[in-house]
């Protein structure tokens, strides 16, 4: 694990020197290159110019609500040219890869999650325990449990219910049943100042109820970087991680030995970054970025020269 960063504000020649020293650029998506259905100003141009300069660009997101093919459509819709499915690494895709390639699951996975997670699991050939509609008056005492379930995966689920939580607890009574979470994000910002609970809050409920800890697949876990590195041979020393959330994006970069940049177009603030930098707690220091910039658009001048 790398040490905490210095929160240096990137300007002018510093930006050029940083880009010259890196071959791989990893972007978070929400809050970095777009907010909802609006691209961050200058972000499509930055991505295109990085590729024209010979940089390899990847997108690493904890948002598990879409399969990768739908992300390709969103990139195109928001004006990002020539983004390939192979460049996109979501927590849903990486969770499916983990179950298939690392765990080599022999059985089914019970999923608390959305369609994006289900689609990636099926595309990877991972068997999913089908969730049947509960009969009126059904309870955990009478509902059927699938004896072939060997893993529980928790992701973002707008239809989360007590019954889903109870079933997952029953499956996790077996020590041989894997317990995975797509990501630890506790909440996500919405338009109008509202928030929605994230995968991390649902995982926390199941951790409390089952007295077990989940293995997290998405950021800040190293597995997402290992997924990319295994396919593209990335050198951490020549890789840059750009994100908006200190406890996931920046910590992910720190965990993987990447240089980190915090953009201020999303969740975390400069004040929070400085507080982590000055903290006496080692875990908080690891959440401090190496560099800070207002927006990815700050890369434009250096890339256009």
């Amino acid at each position: 694990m790398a040490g905490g960063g210095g929160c240096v504000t990137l300007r002018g020649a510093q930006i050029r020197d940083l880009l010259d020293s890196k071959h791989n650029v990893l972007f978070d998506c929400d809050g970095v290159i777009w907010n909802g259905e609006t691209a961050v100003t200058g972000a499509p141009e930055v991505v295109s110019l990085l590729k024209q300069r010979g940089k390899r660009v990847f997108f690493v997101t904890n948002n598990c609500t879409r399969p990768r093919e739908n992300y390709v459509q969103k990139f195109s819709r928001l004006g990002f040219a020539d983004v390939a499915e192979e460049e996109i690494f979501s927590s849903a895709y990486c969770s499916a890869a983990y179950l298939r390639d690392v765990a080599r699951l022999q059985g089914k996975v019970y999923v608390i999650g959305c369609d994006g997670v289900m689609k990636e699991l099926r595309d990877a050939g991972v068997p999913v325990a089908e969730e049947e509609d509960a009969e009126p008056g059904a309870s955990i005492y009478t509902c059927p449990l699938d004896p072939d379930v060997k893993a529980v995966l928790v992701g973002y689920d707008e239809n989360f219910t007590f019954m889903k939580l109870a079933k997952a607890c029953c499956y996790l009574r077996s020590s041989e049943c894997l317990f995975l979470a797509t990501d630890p994000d506790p909440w996500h910002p919405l338009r109008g100042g509202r928030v929605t609970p994230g995968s991390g809050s649902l995982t926390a409920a199941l951790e409390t109820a089952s007295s077990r800890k989940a293995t997290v697949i998405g950021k800040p876990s190293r597995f997402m970087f290992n997924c990319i590195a295994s396919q593209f041979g990335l050198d951490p020393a020549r890789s840059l991680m750009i994100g908006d959330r200190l406890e996931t994006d920046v910590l992910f970069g720190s965990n993987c030995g990447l240089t980190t940049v915090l953009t201020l177009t999303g969740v975390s603030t400069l004040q929070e970054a400085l507080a982590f930098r000055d903290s006496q707690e080692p875990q908080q220091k690891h959440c401090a970025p190496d560099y800070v910039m207002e927006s990815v658009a700050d890369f434009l001048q250096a890339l256009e020269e």
Side-chain angles (χ1 to χ4, degrees):
M1 180 184 285
C7 299
V8 175
T9 300
L10 276 173
R11 294 189 179 90
Q14 286 178 310
I15 298 177
R16 289 192 299 274
D17 292 344
L18 178 62
L19 291 175
D20 287 345
S21 69
K22 304 300 178 184
H23 183 51
N24 314 299
V25 183
L26 284 65
F27 287 98
D28 177 44
C29 295
D30 298 288
V32 177
I33 59 173
W34 63 53
N35 281 298
E37 282 296 313
T38 304
V40 168
T41 301
E45 294 81 2
V46 166
V47 170
S48 293
L49 288 168
L50 284 168
K51 291 186 174 185
Q52 290 173 27
R53 288 284 192 93
K55 309 295 183 185
R56 296 192 297 182
V57 177
F58 301 96
F59 305 94
V60 288
T61 176
N62 276 355
N63 189 326
C64 63
T65 60
R66 290 183 175 89
R68 294 203 295 175
E69 62 189 46
N70 288 21
Y71 270 109
V72 171
Q73 297 167 9
K74 179 167 184 175
F75 275 105
S76 177
R77 190 166 65 246
L78 297 188
F80 293 84
D82 302 322
V83 173
E85 187 172 309
E86 301 77 50
E87 297 169 328
I88 303 166
F89 289 80
S90 70
S91 60
Y93 169 79
C94 291
S95 295
Y98 183 93
L99 285 166
R100 180 191 62 202
D101 301 332
V102 178
R104 298 182 183 275
L105 184 68
Q106 301 295 312
K108 298 179 183 178
V109 56
Y110 179 73
V111 180
I112 294 175
C114 51
D115 290 341
V117 176
M118 299 292 193
K119 179 70 163 59
E120 293 291 4
L121 289 167
R122 293 190 175 107
D123 286 352
V126 177
V128 175
E130 298 298 330
E131 184 71 71
E132 299 178 3
D133 292 335
E135 296 290 333
S139 74
I140 192 59
Y141 293 103
T142 58
C143 70
L145 295 174
D146 192 329
D148 294 327
V149 167
K150 303 298 181 186
V152 171
L153 173 63
V154 182
Y156 181 79
D157 190 345
E158 292 183 342
N159 298 308
F160 182 69
T161 64
F162 181 85
M163 184 65 79
K164 289 182 180 181
L165 177 64
K167 280 187 175 183
C169 282
C170 289
Y171 289 129
L172 290 174
R173 296 281 291 174
S174 168
S175 61
E176 295 182 358
C177 184
L178 298 174
F179 182 12
L180 308 178
T182 58
D183 64 90
D185 291 4
W187 57 274
H188 302 285
L190 300 175
R191 289 188 296 273
R194 297 192 178 194
V195 299
T196 182
S199 307
S201 62
L202 307 188
T203 302
L206 184 52
E207 286 181 333
T208 299
S210 67
S211 298
R212 290 183 57 178
K213 293 293 289 184
T215 296
V216 175
I217 302 300
K219 297 172 293 184
S221 167
R222 289 179 53 90
F223 182 72
M224 190 173 275
F225 182 78
N226 293 342
C227 264
I228 307 172
S230 66
Q231 296 180 37
F232 294 94
L234 271 63
D235 177 3
R238 299 203 64 202
S239 301
L240 185 65
M241 175 65 208
I242 304 170
D244 73 306
R245 205 163 195 156
L246 296 167
E247 298 94 331
T248 50
D249 300 324
V250 171
L251 183 56
F252 168 73
S254 179
N255 286 342
C256 300
L258 317 180
T259 301
T260 55
V261 177
L262 175 72
T263 63
L264 302 179
T265 48
V267 172
S268 296
T269 66
L270 176 60
Q271 290 73 24
E272 290 168 336
L274 293 173
F276 279 144
R277 181 195 66 183
D278 298 334
S279 172
Q280 299 305 307
E281 295 292 329
Q283 187 66 13
Q284 290 192 352
K285 278 189 173 295
H286 288 305
C287 294
D290 297 304
Y291 301 101
V292 179
M293 61 191 342
E294 284 294 327
S295 163
V296 293
D298 293 349
F299 285 119
L300 277 177
Q301 184 176 354
L303 289 167
E304 289 172 340
E305 289 177 351

